[in-house]
Amino acid sequence: MKKFTKVTSSAVPLPIENVDTDQIIPARFLKSITREGFGENLFRDWRYDQSHEPKSDFVLNNDIYKGSILVAGANFGCGSSREHAAWALVDYGFQVVISSYFADIFKSNALNNGLLPIRVSEDHLEEIFKAIESDPNASFTVDLENQSLLIAQTENLIQFEIDAYKKMCLLNGYDDIDFLISKRDEIEKFESTYKVY
Amino acid sequence: MGLTLFDKIWDAHVVAQIEGGREILYIDKHLIHEVTSPQAFTGLQSRNLPVFRTDKTIATADHNVPTINQHLPIEEPLSAKQVAMLVENCKDFGVELYGLGHPNQGIVHVIGPELGITKPGMTIVCGDSHTSTHGAFGSIAFGIGTSQVEQVLATQCLLQMKPKKMRITIDGDLPPNVLSKDIILYLLSKLGTGGATGYFIEYAGSTIRALSMEARMTICNMSIEMGARGGLIAPDEKTFDYVKGRAFSPQGALLYEAITYWKSLFSDEDAIFDKEIKYSASEIAPMLTYGTNPGMGIKVDQQVPIQTDHESPESFSKALNYMGLKSGQSLEGMSIDQVFIGSCTNSRIEDLRIVADFIKGKKVAANVKAQIVPGSKQVEKQAIEEGIAEIAEAAGFEFRQPGCSACLGMNEDKVPRGKYCVSTSNRNFEGRQGPGARTLLASPLTAASAAIEGKIVDVRKYPS
Ligand code: SF4
């Protein structure tokens, strides 16, 4: 996993609630056996029409919005456990997703792939959408070390929560698996004392 | 202070606590399938690791398998490759596989219980969100992502934060022809798709106790739709009777010992939940969804609302627009195009019996294409032996071979653009059953009646 420290970027607005994993990456594109290449089909059915032409009204097809930060409505990532949703966002180039609410499994999948989900209040989300609306180039700075999100336009510095262990993983580029493997002895000891039917 | 059912099982599986509140949780059973496992096996290969506990790992092919001619090679090249990859990985890593053609093959959440793999007191995970199904047996079961699949393959453990606990109690008798699917769709309509985020739900109350094991599975299955990590129900005599005598069940003295332990798995009277909700069964009716998430549901005799508490006006009108429906419109009497009876929510033998009872001697309406996709090879076999397949075909249903099928449209079973499908599955997201497909989630009985009448009808008006 790549280390995550600081990101300064403009953001792509997606002011829709309940963006589910079937929208992020439809099931028919899950047939790959590698982790790469899913970005091409990110938001496939919102992004392309039936004849595979880009839909001009979808934000990813609008050149004025760019950047490695996606800002979305509440309950982002609900639906299936498919990690392909996180892979697709990362593969497309996103490093951060901001929402007022994330679905549990999505959040954990994102963190396992170096994609930082930042939960902000409804009011702050509104403020961020407004900033982008008034200036598509509005800049945001995410500082993981200090757990802060700076809205350059309003000079508002928002603190966000992330659990200490996950923060350490992201900053150092570690995954859970490295940690668990280091605990194999303890796991074997547990197995010898425990009974399951 | 007393413990909840969830605490009792969770605490028994904690290997160690680590800084920051995370715990190393031991996993008793890991179920894998072709779509979310290839990248995990690749990860093991690149780290040069074996599967840590092959005896606690079981694989099946279900998500993208065809539901006809399963004895022939899979035509679609990418699906064929994914299934072949699973076969190869299971062989290389020594994992038991119930692949295509195997008598135990089927949807991963259908075969776990029917083989007795799923038992009370266990921790069960799978790279699929509907793993919550297994909670019906009084186990902690939840879906995980592929990185976590790799973690469990490598260490039989996961790093987890203990979720909060919620109890939903439902008491009283259900009205006639109202099924467990209606209960969960009702709960969803009340709580919305984010109503249980961060929680693990225990379902309790006399209504839940009165349900069969299969009906309980339908409820636990859709816990994830409310944002919950999972749902579970305390095991009782019905649970023990169901588990007894299955392929992976304990036998003889061990079974006796197991049941003694399982009987300790309930929430203590003084257990404290982070949230408690109560409903009465009498207020539940046959339910249908009208929108593009499972929380957008109404009773069959209600009208599509003007707005809900769970969606912004923009999202709400986007959903209605996609569905081709209008606020104030009745679903009852609306003409439909397709009926899908299947998926890990409602494809077990009991579901098929309910459908067969209803459609026996009747004919599918001329405007409807209707399919039954059994959840597993065993369900398929039983349905053939009991004459259900014959009844279905005589009525004009297609009776297919087991798999996830039109639940997620990964194989060729898709709903065409703009068509209305009454489906017993669990998700009505945009494009879930195929690009542009319009899904109305319902119980097997509501789906069966829609197939026969060619439109949505209130099943309470039929004899039960
Ligand atoms: S039937 Fe549908 S919901 Fe169930 S495991 Fe298969 S794809 Fe997932």
Side-chain angles (χ1 to χ4, degrees):
Chain A
M1 207 168 78
K2 247 175 52 194
K3 288 186 190 178
F4 188 113
T5 43
K6 213 171 187 179
V7 171
T8 298
S9 167
S10 54
V12 178
L14 189 65
I16 300 171
E17 292 106 69
N18 300 315
V19 174
D20 60 73
T21 50
D22 279 81
Q23 288 342 306
I24 300 173
I25 180 91
R28 58 188 196 282
F29 299 111
L30 305 187
K31 292 180 183 178
S32 168
I33 52 173
T34 65
R35 289 177 193 238
E36 288 82 40
F38 290 101
E40 234 175 89
N41 295 312
L42 176 69
F43 297 118
R44 178 77 207 195
D45 294 337
W46 286 344
R47 213 165 128 198
Y48 298 99
D49 67 14
Q50 281 152 264
S51 38
H52 311 291
E53 290 300 320
K55 292 186 188 177
S56 58
D57 60 351
F58 187 61
V59 67
L60 291 192
N61 296 324
N62 189 340
D63 281 346
I64 66 168
Y65 298 108
K66 312 183 236 342
S68 57
I69 301 174
L70 178 69
V71 188
N75 202 21
F76 186 84
C78 61
S80 86
S81 63
R82 64 183 72 148
E83 199 158 312
H84 312 69
W87 298 337
L89 289 160
V90 171
D91 195 57
Y92 185 85
F94 288 115
Q95 291 174 279
V96 175
V97 188
I98 300 174
S99 173
S100 55
Y101 214 65
F102 290 96
D104 274 344
I105 310 184
F106 174 80
K107 192 163 107 188
S108 131
N109 286 339
L111 288 166
N112 280 332
N113 288 280
L115 176 68
L116 179 64
I118 298 181
R119 183 176 173 178
V120 297
S121 68
E122 290 285 346
D123 288 347
H124 284 145
L125 190 67
E126 198 57 46
E127 183 183 333
I128 296 167
F129 278 132
K130 280 217 179 95
I132 307 171
E133 199 183 303
S134 70
D135 175 13
N137 292 318
S139 158
F140 302 87
T141 298
V142 175
D143 180 345
L144 179 58
E145 183 71 61
N146 292 313
Q147 297 180 219
S148 66
L149 166 68
L150 175 71
I151 306 175
Q153 202 181 72
T154 54
E155 289 180 14
N156 194 355
L157 190 70
I158 304 168
Q159 292 301 130
F160 62 84
E161 298 283 324
I162 177 167
D163 83 66
Y165 168 80
K166 275 292 160 195
K167 179 175 168 181
M168 182 277 287
C169 284
L170 282 176
L171 288 172
N172 295 298
Y174 288 159
D175 6 3
D176 289 356
I177 195 160
D178 299 319
F179 178 81
L180 285 170
I181 288 168
S182 74
K183 300 283 175 191
R184 284 263 199 105
D185 288 350
E186 263 183 81
I187 296 169
E188 285 184 346
K189 209 166 110 219
F190 173 84
E191 284 178 321
S192 67
T193 60
Y194 154 84
K195 183 155 189 179
V196 66
Y197 295 96
Chain B
M1 193 184 75
L3 294 173
T4 67
L5 165 63
F6 180 84
D7 292 320
K8 289 179 184 178
I9 305 171
W10 181 277
D11 296 350
H13 288 83
V14 173
V15 174
Q17 286 176 321
I18 59 167
E19 242 179 288
R22 270 166 201 270
E23 293 172 308
I24 302 179
L25 189 73
Y26 192 79
I27 302 303
D28 294 320
K29 212 43 107 176
H30 185 197
L31 307 168
I32 61 178
H33 64 84
E34 76 277 24
V35 176
T36 56
S37 70
Q39 295 86 353
F41 280 113
T42 309
L44 284 192
Q45 266 154 354
S46 68
R47 291 173 200 258
N48 221 342
L49 289 170
V51 171
F52 186 57
R53 293 290 176 251
T54 47
D55 59 333
K56 294 180 195 278
T57 316
I58 286 185
T60 191
D62 56 2
H63 276 64
N64 72 29
V65 300
T67 54
I68 45 164
N69 295 327
Q70 287 184 348
H71 61 291
L72 297 178
I74 301 177
E75 276 179 28
E76 211 278 315
L78 291 173
S79 298
K81 193 165 164 197
Q82 226 170 27
V83 172
M85 199 70 213
L86 182 71
V87 175
E88 199 180 309
N89 283 327
C90 287
K91 197 162 141 259
D92 291 352
F93 286 88
V95 171
E96 174 102 27
L97 167 67
Y98 301 141
L100 270 192
H102 192 287
N104 289 347
Q105 180 265 340
I107 303 174
V108 64
H109 312 309
V110 175
I111 68 168
E114 81 183 0
L115 294 171
I117 295 168
T118 307
K119 286 177 284 269
M122 277 186 157
T123 48
I124 301 171
V125 296
C126 172
D128 184 281
S129 56
H130 292 97
T131 309
S132 57
T133 315
H134 307 262
F137 290 79
S139 60
I140 294 182
F142 55 91
I144 55 177
T146 297
S147 296
Q148 294 171 310
V149 171
E150 188 181 333
Q151 289 159 30
V152 180
L153 287 174
T155 66
Q156 205 58 36
C157 286
L158 281 173
L159 272 179
Q160 291 285 302
M161 291 284 258
K162 194 174 185 176
K164 290 182 286 183
K165 288 146 290 182
M166 175 192 287
R167 178 161 59 189
I168 300 180
T169 306
I170 308 168
D171 283 310
D173 295 330
L174 283 171
N177 287 342
V178 173
L179 306 182
S180 69
K181 179 65 162 286
D182 299 309
I183 301 180
I184 189 68
L185 287 174
Y186 179 77
L187 294 179
L188 266 152
S189 73
K190 292 281 175 192
L191 298 173
T193 50
T197 299
Y199 291 92
F200 222 95
I201 303 172
E202 178 177 344
Y203 300 97
S206 63
T207 315
I208 302 291
R209 295 258 77 87
L211 296 174
S212 69
M213 285 314 295
E214 301 204 348
R216 292 178 190 181
M217 285 186 238
T218 301
I219 295 191
C220 288
N221 174 276
M222 289 185 74
S223 306
I224 182 75
E225 259 47 83
M226 295 184 275
R229 286 295 272 134
L232 79 176
I233 294 172
D236 58 12
E237 289 301 328
K238 275 186 200 166
T239 319
F240 312 145
D241 285 345
Y242 184 99
V243 172
K244 269 181 214 164
R246 295 183 186 261
F248 285 78
S249 304
Q251 287 170 6
L254 198 61
L255 176 67
Y256 185 78
E257 195 185 302
I259 292 179
T260 309
Y261 167 59
W262 294 343
K263 282 187 174 163
S264 70
L265 298 174
F266 55 86
S267 288
D268 296 332
E269 290 224 346
D270 54 347
I272 301 201
F273 289 83
D274 300 288
K275 194 168 181 181
E276 291 245 31
I277 303 175
K278 289 189 165 69
Y279 292 104
S280 159
S282 60
E283 62 197 86
I284 305 175
M287 297 287 298
L288 282 148
T289 61
Y290 59 86
T292 54
N293 71 57
M296 300 174 84
I298 49 173
K299 296 177 181 173
V300 62
D301 53 358
Q302 288 177 325
Q303 280 80 41
V304 175
I306 295 165
Q307 181 57 48
T308 75
D309 298 340
H310 307 299
E311 266 82 24
S312 68
E314 296 78 37
S315 299
F316 187 80
S317 67
K318 183 171 181 287
L320 289 199
N321 196 22
Y322 179 86
M323 290 299 292
L325 296 172
K326 288 196 170 61
S327 294
Q329 178 177 350
S330 291
L331 295 182
E332 196 178 350
M334 185 182 123
S335 168
I336 54 118
D337 309 293
Q338 215 160 313
V339 167
F340 170 64
I341 297 189
S343 92
C344 57
T345 315
N346 285 118
S347 66
R348 287 170 285 268
I349 192 67
E350 204 176 277
D351 302 310
L352 270 44
R353 285 186 192 133
I354 289 170
V355 171
D357 275 351
F358 188 91
I359 63 175
K360 193 172 183 177
K362 303 187 178 106
K363 283 270 179 238
V364 170
N367 57 314
V368 175
K369 176 182 162 182
Q371 286 186 329
I372 296 177
V373 183
S376 70
K377 277 314 248 192
Q378 292 206 14
V379 172
E380 179 190 29
K381 183 164 170 265
Q382 209 173 340
I384 293 170
E385 283 166 6
E386 292 183 16
I388 292 172
E390 206 178 317
I391 291 170
E393 280 169 353
F397 273 84
E398 282 177 49
F399 188 83
R400 314 280 288 214
Q401 290 174 306
C404 293
S405 180
C407 173
L408 88 166
M410 265 192 91
N411 70 356
E412 63 290 347
D413 305 342
K414 291 184 181 60
V415 175
R417 187 174 292 279
K419 298 287 181 198
Y420 290 100
C421 178
V422 179
S423 177
T424 66
S425 55
N426 43 53
R427 287 188 177 142
N428 51 352
F429 297 150
E430 280 186 32
R432 171 81 177 182
Q433 297 194 293
R438 291 163 165 172
T439 305
L440 299 111
L441 301 175
S443 79
L445 200 52
T446 296
S449 62
I452 301 299
E453 305 289 351
K455 58 185 189 202
I456 309 266
V457 289
D458 185 343
V459 284
R460 288 174 300 186
K461 294 175 183 164
Y462 290 82
S464 58

